[in-house]
Amino acid sequence: MQDPDWWRQAAVYQIYPRSFADSNGDGIGDLKGITSRIPYLKALGVDAVWLSPFYPSALADGGYDVDDYRDVDPKLGTLEDFDEMISALHEAGIKLVADIVPNHTSNRHAWFREALASPRDSAARNRYIFRDGRGPNGDEAPSDWESVFGGPAWERTEDGQWYMHIFAREQPDLNWDNREVRDDFLTTLRFWSDRGVDGFRVDVAHALTKDMTEPLPSKAELGPEGGNNNGLHPFWDRDEVHEVFAEWREVFNEYTPPRTAVAEAWVHADRRARYASPEGLGQAFNFDLLKADWDARQFRDIITKNLVEATSSGASSTWVFSNHDVVRHATRYGLPPAGPDSNDGKAGQGGQGGQDGAAWLMSGGTEPELDRELGERRARAVSQLMLALPGSAYLYQGEELGLHEVADIADEDRQDPTFFRNRGVDVGRDGCRVPLPWTADGESFGFGFAGAHLPQPSWFGEYAVEVQEGDAASTLSFYRRALELRRELQGEEEFEWIDEPSADVLHFTRPSGWHSITNFGSAPVDLPSGTVLLSSSPLEDGRLPAGTTAWLV
């Protein structure tokens, strides 16, 4: 537990706390529920848990609208419950990475309430981004910028000023030019580090610092998020943000071992390494595989480029296929590719690339037709490939069960602000946040002893932990064995491609003779000589079938 480099090749399991396990039957997952399931996490074989926001929140954005950064939402528990949870995780040999949300507070945060009650140009308002409106009466927004969630990025207050929110209007942006804001977050980082938090996942790390020099550019003059590499966008990926993270690194290094951090930074690939600098956060999410088609050439190019990038920055790469913002990859890989014209942003923010599932979601899960078996087969294959790569692997709760996206949630049951702000355009991210099935039946499939805050479909029972634990051929058993082998085989962060006769086969080696081979083609292929340790689907007469990964030594 004291290894300073534990994060470099860790398997990290993301928990969306409101949808993991409910201990008191109120329909909402909580910290005691997580603590009760730590034996499951230990048996799964993960090295760390990434805990999505658990702070007090009105849930205008799934907990990413934070009322108080140094407390626990009463619906989820107490600080004492948090201490018990982290102690139990550590006893099980599992680290904890906490989500931190520095770009914005909620509109219920004490600072924002004070700002609204204070006059213009006050110290309280200077913690946020307030501006006078345009036009004779100031009744036009300061700019025509749009929120990521749809609609304007400005909201008018009762006294006529406007505040900026690049996400929901309940999420006013902080002013990171304000020294008080910077110091308060240093206090927050120490607060949780002192309680034993091992690292932080930094939400929207590329949006903190902003250039609000007037006149503000128009929407037409702005480049897309992550679309340029010059650092000149007024609120995405500005160079000054790294001054903030250099201060954070000083705090992280006060602890033994140093606290870790990983940036959620949707930036141009040329800019990602700065977030992963040892003088900054140390690691940054790489979403490139998540956005890739089922295509061996794309995968090879992405893996090669990102490993080179990681080496040059001194960090390790990160790999991920699913999280709380995107359509589950078992579903994406069961759908036909969306094609080269698909948008390149996040789900809820315009789709996520070649197989984003956006059109399928809009149809209620009817068009195009989902091939569930194919999606699950390919999802296991790419997950096994990911677990063989040098770097850290991020898993999202439920993917170890082979869960699919829930598409047919009734409008009245939806919670994601992207749905309410973009009706008819975006159904939101609720489908990947439906509470987990632990048992084959029951009112909430064992999630709790009553209902669930998002409706679970009847087919969830087929994927329940209870059903899969006793089945050696289940996706859960596959993940457990893959993570067990990964820990046994993992060596230095070295990697070498082995060229195959077929361009549809990806074959690479790791130290100690560990081979990973993935067949992206349509027909079985021969395997090299050696002992097969694991395959994501059964071999066919000793050959590697389509949509399958095998590890051998």
Side-chain angles (χ1 to χ4, degrees):
M1 294 293 285
Q2 296 301 309
D3 180 7
D5 293 326
W6 67 267
W7 52 275
R8 295 190 65 91
Q9 299 195 80
V12 184
Y13 183 91
Q14 182 190 358
I15 289 179
Y16 190 74
R18 290 169 174 81
S19 296
F20 188 69
D22 171 19
S23 70
N24 60 7
D26 65 356
I28 300 172
D30 47 45
L31 299 188
K32 284 184 177 293
I34 295 170
T35 302
S36 73
R37 298 296 186 178
I38 289 176
Y40 171 81
L41 298 171
K42 184 174 182 178
L44 184 59
V46 296
D47 301 301
V49 161
W50 154 24
L51 189 61
S52 290
F54 51 88
Y55 314 104
S57 172
L59 302 184
D61 182 22
Y64 286 87
D65 47 315
V66 178
D67 298 347
D68 184 345
Y69 290 91
R70 298 193 281 273
D71 204 354
V72 172
D73 192 314
K75 293 185 179 68
L76 304 187
T78 65
L79 283 170
E80 290 72 23
D81 294 334
F82 181 90
D83 293 341
E84 291 175 11
M85 178 192 67
I86 197 168
S87 176
L89 284 168
H90 286 169
E91 187 175 344
I94 300 172
K95 304 275 192 181
L96 181 68
V97 175
D99 224 316
I100 193 79
V101 189
N103 178 69
H104 45 261
T105 71
S106 79
N107 62 346
R108 307 196 313 175
H109 191 284
W111 274 5
F112 194 69
R113 295 199 304 269
E114 181 185 359
L116 293 181
S118 300
R120 303 178 184 216
D121 300 322
S122 62
R125 290 210 172 182
N126 191 48
R127 297 176 183 134
Y128 294 90
I129 300 174
F130 279 84
R131 289 290 184 276
D132 291 329
R134 297 175 296 168
N137 301 312
D139 54 2
E140 296 180 32
S143 72
D144 64 349
W145 298 346
E146 290 186 351
S147 158
V148 168
F149 289 160
W154 297 91
E155 186 76 9
R156 200 174 193 187
T157 63
E158 289 185 1
D159 68 0
Q161 273 205 311
W162 301 73
Y163 67 86
M164 182 177 173
H165 59 90
I166 56 176
F167 293 94
R169 63 176 176 271
E170 296 88 354
Q171 296 169 295
D173 282 31
L174 286 163
N175 173 18
W176 275 87
D177 288 336
N178 187 315
R179 186 67 247 176
E180 185 180 5
V181 171
R182 297 193 182 203
D183 288 342
D184 193 72
F185 268 87
L186 298 181
T187 299
T188 294
L189 295 174
R190 290 189 177 97
F191 177 87
W192 293 111
S193 296
D194 289 345
R195 297 191 98 92
V197 166
D198 302 285
F200 298 90
R201 179 264 187 186
V202 185
D203 185 62
V204 201
H206 59 307
L208 274 60
T209 55
K210 300 173 175 69
D211 179 7
M212 303 302 295
T213 304
E214 297 183 356
L216 299 176
S218 69
K219 177 178 64 177
E221 295 173 305
L222 299 180
E225 177 185 3
N228 63 59
N229 62 351
N230 58 18
L232 298 180
H233 193 286
F235 50 87
W236 294 132
D237 188 32
R238 296 194 59 79
D239 291 338
E240 307 93 278
V241 76
H242 300 290
E243 299 170 8
V244 173
F245 297 139
E247 290 189 345
W248 288 26
R249 173 50 54 189
E250 292 179 8
V251 171
F252 298 153
N253 290 345
E254 294 172 3
Y255 295 86
T256 303
R259 292 338 188 208
T260 67
V262 58
E264 183 207 26
W266 294 82
V267 300
H268 193 284
D270 295 343
R271 307 271 297 175
R272 189 184 299 137
R274 298 192 66 187
Y275 293 86
S277 164
E279 291 75 37
L281 294 176
Q283 199 172 43
F285 275 122
N286 154 29
F287 298 112
D288 296 346
L289 283 183
L290 183 153
K291 297 185 289 183
D293 287 326
W294 176 260
D295 182 271
R297 296 164 186 80
Q298 285 188 43
F299 268 66
R300 179 161 178 157
D301 289 347
I302 288 167
I303 292 167
T304 301
K305 182 176 182 179
N306 280 282
L307 289 178
V308 169
E309 178 185 301
T311 300
S312 66
S313 70
S316 66
S317 191
T318 61
W319 311 103
V320 59
F321 284 104
S322 286
N323 62 36
H324 66 291
D325 276 335
V326 301
V327 174
R328 289 184 176 276
H329 68 290
T331 294
R332 298 200 313 271
Y333 285 123
L335 295 169
D341 296 329
S342 177
N343 200 320
D344 204 25
K346 286 197 285 190
Q349 300 179 29
Q352 70 210 47
Q355 289 176 291
D356 63 9
W360 178 82
L361 277 178
M362 286 301 301
S363 75
T366 60
E367 297 180 6
E369 184 176 356
L370 170 64
D371 187 334
R372 286 180 174 267
E373 183 179 353
L374 177 65
E376 291 167 31
R377 181 186 188 93
R378 287 178 168 180
R380 286 194 302 270
V382 297
S383 295
Q384 186 174 342
L385 179 156
M386 172 183 73
L387 291 172
L389 292 169
S392 55
Y394 281 79
L395 314 175
Y396 179 53
Q397 64 178 44
E399 72 170 80
E400 77 279 12
L401 305 177
L403 279 185
H404 282 275
E405 189 84 359
V406 180
D408 54 347
I409 300 173
D411 289 359
E412 59 268 23
D413 292 323
R414 290 197 173 274
Q415 301 173 6
D416 191 347
T418 60
F419 167 75
F420 298 103
R421 295 175 71 99
N422 295 282
R423 283 181 181 267
V425 177
D426 194 335
V427 300
R429 300 158 292 177
D430 295 315
C432 63
R433 301 175 180 185
V434 176
L436 294 189
W438 294 91
T439 59
D441 49 28
E443 189 173 347
S444 61
F445 298 105
F447 167 67
F449 52 83
H453 69 97
L454 282 168
Q456 301 157 299
S458 59
W459 51 264
F460 254 36
E462 304 167 23
Y463 292 81
V465 173
E466 175 186 72
V467 173
Q468 298 198 37
E469 281 193 313
D471 181 1
S474 71
T475 300
L476 176 59
S477 295
F478 161 74
Y479 264 79
R480 286 178 172 175
R481 182 57 178 154
L483 286 163
E484 179 184 32
L485 282 171
R486 182 180 192 268
R487 187 168 290 189
E488 294 174 3
L489 296 168
Q490 196 72 265
E492 296 299 315
E493 295 174 49
E494 297 172 6
F495 172 98
E496 182 180 356
W497 288 113
I498 304 294
D499 289 329
E500 290 281 344
S502 170
D504 289 327
V505 176
L506 289 190
H507 181 180
F508 60 86
T509 62
R510 296 291 309 281
S512 303
W514 177 15
H515 291 245
S516 177
I517 307 168
T518 304
N519 183 1
F520 284 83
S522 57
V525 297
D526 292 330
L527 287 169
S529 60
T531 301
V532 176
L533 301 177
L534 180 69
S535 63
S536 58
S537 294
L539 301 183
E540 297 179 1
D541 297 325
R543 307 182 80 206
L544 187 67
T548 304
T549 295
W551 290 348
L552 59 85
V553 293

